[in-house]
Amino acid sequence: MARLIDLLEAGTMVAAQRPWPRSVVEAAAWKYAGEQLAEGHWSLLGLWAEPEQVHMALREPASEQVGVISLACPEGHFPSIGHRHPPAIRLERSARDLFGLRPDGLEDTRPWLDHGCWPGGGRPEAAHYEFLPVEGPSLHQVPVGPVHAGIIEPGHFRFTANGETIVRLEERLGYVHKGIEKLMAGRDPTAAARLAARSSGDSTVAYGIGFALAVEAALQVPVPPRAHWLRALMAELERLANHLGDIGAVCNDAAFALMHTHCGALREQVLRTAQACFGHRLMRDRVVPGGVAVDLDDAGEAAVQTLLDHIGAEFPALVELYENTASLQDRTMGTGCLSSQLARQFGAGGYVGRASGQDRDARRRPGYAPYGELEFAVPSRMDGDVNARLWIRIEEVQQSMGMLRQILARLPAGEIRIDLPAAAGEGLSLVESFRGELLTWLRLDAAGRIERCHLRDPSWFQWPLLEAAVEGNIIADFPLCNKSFNCSYSGHDL
Amino acid sequence: MRKLLFQNLLRPPLTEPAPSPEAAELAALAARLDCAALQRLGHSLAIRQVDAGSCNGCELEIHALNNSYYDLERFGIRFVASPRHADVLLVTGPVSRNMRVALERTYAATPDPKWVISTGDCALDGGCFADSYAVIGGVGRVIPVDLHIPGCPPTPTELLRGLLTLLEAPQAAAEPPTTAP
Ligand code: SF4
């Protein structure tokens, strides 16, 4: 069995790509990679296209090797990976919608992001979307969305149910596709970073870091240490805010409003601290290529310290409340179970993967500054139900608080931003958002402008698993399951 | 749980006083609204939120309106699950082309009298997404808009101020604000 590095070296290495290699390969090597994925030896990190070219980012867990392989497709088609490895299906359907490249052998030929509404045609079949047929006695369908009942992003869910029980869920996404990747083309990194930061508002810091790391890798510029530490501080505040919000919201979907109220107040305090420290509640546009835009002063440090003390005092009582409320756990335990086998196959990250036996965390492996210098645990559980996903969040709140304390204690002094040269290069980054691993790949032209940028939200490998997790549950438990996944629509649709 | 509830009885509430609506906003709005219709609603508004292509940042802050600090319901303003129950559509996003039909249908399903508030910078004119093939570029290009709340995203305080502007518009129409916009 050839290793990933052998496969990369057998192709034509692209000298400009950093920090992991990219290699242009032949169709046989592309297919071989597909087999390695299907057999579970490697995992898929992303698959995206350019005019006449497809790229696939891969990881070999045994060696921790990461790499990108590229295949030229001048004829307008390429061998499908999704044909044998389902996590690639939606990525390939999107590549076809956006670049017209046909995945050969992919059974599902339907469009994905193209709903037949874009000017200049698009795919003619996009206007009439057919859901997959479901056959069997006593089945009925319930269509939900794209406009949902709550304050939530748009997407369509087609339930096939037998009585109350969900027999199958089929998702249809793409409603909030904004063409972000295309908008980035031709912009300088600073302007494009603003678009990256608006891919998924709840992960704006993580997207900012992912984009900045990719640019800095492409240009091979070292960012001042203080900037890395401040980025981590913002990233952990973002994680804290999102997890606190989610813990409350999951309980609220089980009609336990008390938890929602208390977690909502804690979340608000995190956002207010962010406002006080960095001048924006979501810390948007505070991470920039080359460093960070705002420094943290003494008053800011004190504010974060006060926040940590406050949450440290309040949060344990809420955890205890969750633990001691049997009626609440009755709703969350055994609900929406995701098998570790599926989580592994899809390379699911974040609380979705970790609640189903995975322990992947980009902060640890491959790792990026300053996390190598911070002590933290990556929680993992086996049950794969709503309860497990909630507990992962609880434990991650505790871990993030620990990291924030370490950052405050050891924040290095110095510069926070450097100027970027205008030069060509290619960069790849893997960053841990609160939802999981986020991939950013980009190529800069000779003037230092974005030629092509691809952002792969963790939700790409989590949305399909939601379909599996709700099977056999009652429709009334769907909001609970969905909230426990909390996938991004905008990050996915882009 | 009892301990937690008991503590809450003794603690002062977290809820903060309401921000005052801005005179300029009020004047601009009063000129455009059918105030008699709004007056009929009394001080009660039912809002249906529609995400027409947002990045979800605006939704996060709209959610925050319901937390203990802002406690939107104390003003008689509440979010409803169906456009059929709504007086106001609170629309976010640059309106992606893929959401156009859904937005039009939601508007059509909302009974008269109704008002539309476009929320967030990209809902005004597409914001940073304006040049894309995949967006229409502003809520106003699809349905008539009565009030815009700027920000990326607008903070809960700014959202609250915008909503109160709408509620207080009839009075504003009766006695026009002294500060010229
Ligand atoms: S205004 Fe800003 S926060 Fe709101 S949806 Fe648009 S980009 Fe996101």
Side-chain angles (χ1 to χ4, degrees):
Chain A
M1 190 179 85
R3 294 173 307 157
L4 176 54
I5 190 71
D6 300 331
L7 191 80
L8 289 159
E9 282 171 354
T12 313
M13 286 284 203
V14 177
Q17 165 134 348
R18 304 253 163 354
W20 298 290
R22 177 165 84 84
S23 175
V24 181
V25 300
E26 299 294 326
W30 179 271
K31 286 184 194 157
Y32 176 79
E35 281 160 29
Q36 295 300 307
L37 289 170
E39 285 163 22
H41 301 307
W42 299 352
S43 65
L44 181 66
L45 295 179
L47 190 156
W48 65 99
E50 284 187 84
E52 304 199 352
Q53 207 177 163
V54 280
H55 307 286
M56 179 158 57
L58 300 158
R59 166 166 40 220
E60 185 178 51
S63 63
E64 284 298 321
Q65 177 71 47
V66 172
V68 179
I69 58 171
S70 310
L71 178 71
C73 15
E75 316 267 297
H77 53 95
F78 63 95
S80 167
I81 300 294
H83 164 62
R84 286 199 58 203
H85 189 57
I89 296 175
R90 290 177 179 176
L91 292 161
E92 290 184 340
R93 288 167 68 188
S94 306
R96 185 172 181 191
D97 290 353
L98 300 176
F99 292 92
L101 301 176
R102 195 183 68 239
D104 282 333
L106 185 67
E107 291 81 356
D108 196 341
T109 56
R110 298 172 301 168
W112 182 241
L113 298 177
D114 185 353
H115 290 200
C117 307
W118 302 335
R123 293 176 61 185
E125 64 271 39
H128 307 282
Y129 194 79
E130 298 254 350
F131 286 89
L132 297 174
V134 189
E135 284 163 20
S138 309
L139 296 180
H140 63 280
Q141 291 205 327
V142 185
V144 177
V147 178
H148 299 284
I151 303 166
I152 167 176
E153 299 178 78
H156 183 90
F157 299 113
R158 183 64 59 99
F159 296 96
T160 304
N162 183 334
E164 278 295 302
T165 308
I166 301 170
V167 177
R168 187 160 81 201
L169 162 66
E170 189 182 344
E171 297 156 357
R172 188 185 185 199
L173 302 174
Y175 289 93
V176 288
H177 175 74
K178 292 179 274 295
I180 290 179
E181 292 183 351
K182 189 148 186 207
L183 277 173
M184 285 179 157
R187 301 197 187 202
D188 65 47
T190 310
R194 294 176 60 84
L195 284 162
R198 281 155 184 78
S199 303
S200 185
D202 50 17
S203 312
T204 186
V205 173
Y207 269 93
I209 297 176
F211 185 83
L213 287 180
V215 170
E216 290 149 12
L219 296 172
Q220 300 183 64
V221 289
V223 169
R226 184 173 176 84
H228 282 304
W229 285 71
L230 286 176
R231 285 175 182 179
L233 186 122
M234 292 188 228
E236 297 313 315
L237 283 176
E238 180 175 86
R239 202 178 319 275
L240 208 55
N242 281 310
H243 281 347
L244 286 168
D246 279 359
I247 294 167
V250 170
C251 294
N252 196 45
D253 277 341
F256 194 68
L258 183 61
M259 193 79 167
H260 185 48
T261 307
H262 282 271
C263 287
L266 291 184
R267 177 187 154 85
E268 177 67 22
Q269 285 154 19
V270 178
L271 300 187
R272 287 179 175 209
T273 306
Q275 169 79 40
C277 295
F278 300 106
H280 192 281
R281 285 162 55 90
L282 304 181
M283 298 168 282
R284 175 166 276 165
D285 302 329
R286 271 37 183 184
V287 176
V288 290
V292 292
V294 195
D295 206 350
L296 185 71
D297 56 15
D298 290 346
E301 281 190 37
V304 177
Q305 191 60 56
T306 309
L307 173 79
L308 293 177
D309 292 345
H310 180 70
I311 298 179
E314 302 272 316
F315 192 59
L318 298 179
V319 178
E320 205 185 302
L321 177 63
Y322 178 72
E323 265 185 307
N324 294 338
T325 309
S327 59
L328 177 56
Q329 290 187 355
D330 183 45
R331 294 288 308 278
T332 59
M333 287 175 89
T335 306
C337 285
L338 173 69
S339 73
S340 59
Q341 192 194 344
L342 267 180
R344 183 170 184 281
Q345 184 188 17
F346 276 73
Y351 41 79
V352 172
R354 282 176 215 136
S356 292
Q358 312 303 300
D359 64 352
R360 189 148 284 290
D361 189 319
R363 291 171 295 179
R364 174 154 289 166
R365 283 171 297 149
Y368 50 98
Y371 289 101
E373 295 173 59
L374 297 176
E375 267 181 46
F376 64 100
V378 179
S380 178
R381 294 187 167 236
M382 282 311 291
D383 319 341
D385 56 2
V386 173
N387 176 59
R389 287 186 285 279
L390 199 82
W391 268 109
I392 296 288
R393 287 176 168 100
I394 291 175
E395 290 168 31
E396 287 188 11
V397 164
Q398 293 156 345
Q399 293 301 325
S400 288
M401 302 240 304
M403 275 184 262
L404 285 166
R405 287 211 172 86
Q406 296 172 53
I407 293 170
L408 283 183
R410 292 162 48 202
L411 192 60
E415 294 295 305
I416 56 162
R417 188 173 184 176
I418 50 158
D419 288 334
L420 295 176
E426 274 187 30
L428 179 66
S429 73
L430 291 166
V431 159
E432 191 72 16
S433 78
F434 84 99
R435 248 184 211 106
E437 191 177 65
L438 167 70
L439 174 138
T440 309
W441 176 85
L442 52 82
R443 183 193 299 125
L444 301 171
D445 64 16
R449 296 182 181 279
I450 305 286
E451 198 173 290
R452 171 90 174 94
C453 175
H454 174 65
L455 306 160
R456 198 268 304 136
D457 194 89
S459 304
W460 278 98
F461 299 133
Q462 296 170 346
W463 272 120
L465 298 175
L466 178 63
E467 292 185 346
V470 301
E471 215 179 284
N473 287 257
I474 58 172
I475 292 188
D477 273 343
F478 177 71
L480 194 57
C481 298
N482 191 23
K483 193 69 219 179
S484 76
F485 271 67
N486 190 17
C487 299
S488 174
Y489 298 70
S490 185
H492 168 281
D493 295 354
L494 223 57
Chain B
M1 187 184 333
R2 223 178 292 152
K3 199 170 127 212
L4 208 66
L5 290 171
F6 190 63
Q7 278 174 356
N8 288 336
L9 284 178
L10 301 177
R11 271 195 228 169
L14 295 170
T15 313
E16 295 173 336
S20 59
E22 288 198 346
E25 253 175 39
L26 256 180
L29 187 72
R32 298 172 61 186
L33 285 181
D34 176 359
C35 296
L38 196 53
Q39 217 144 22
R40 278 211 302 274
L41 295 174
H43 275 227
S44 155
L45 274 188
I47 303 178
R48 171 65 254 198
Q49 197 267 331
V50 184
D51 175 341
S54 98
C55 76
N56 80 29
C58 280
E59 278 64 29
L60 293 176
E61 294 296 56
I62 294 170
H63 259 295
L65 285 174
N66 283 323
N67 77 30
S68 319
Y69 286 84
Y70 305 103
D71 189 20
L72 189 66
E73 290 223 16
R74 75 186 138 137
F75 303 108
I77 306 176
R78 62 189 201 286
F79 289 97
V80 292
S82 166
R84 303 244 183 244
H85 304 154
D87 309 308
V88 170
L89 295 182
L90 191 65
V91 189
T92 60
V95 190
S96 60
R97 290 190 184 270
N98 291 352
M99 269 305 285
R100 178 191 196 127
V101 172
L103 177 59
E104 284 169 347
R105 287 192 186 164
T106 307
Y107 182 76
T110 311
D112 281 320
K114 58 188 164 194
W115 293 270
V116 174
I117 305 179
S118 61
T119 308
D121 289 347
C122 65
L124 180 66
D125 55 5
C128 59
F129 309 114
D131 301 329
S132 172
Y133 61 92
V135 311
I136 291 172
V139 178
R141 293 207 180 168
V142 181
I143 53 175
V145 171
D146 299 290
L147 175 71
H148 176 70
I149 304 178
C152 183
T155 63
T157 308
E158 287 160 349
L159 288 165
L160 202 51
R161 190 180 290 139
L163 291 169
L164 293 180
T165 305
L166 193 66
L167 268 185
E168 291 176 13
Q171 293 154 15
E175 15 173 326
T178 41
T179 26

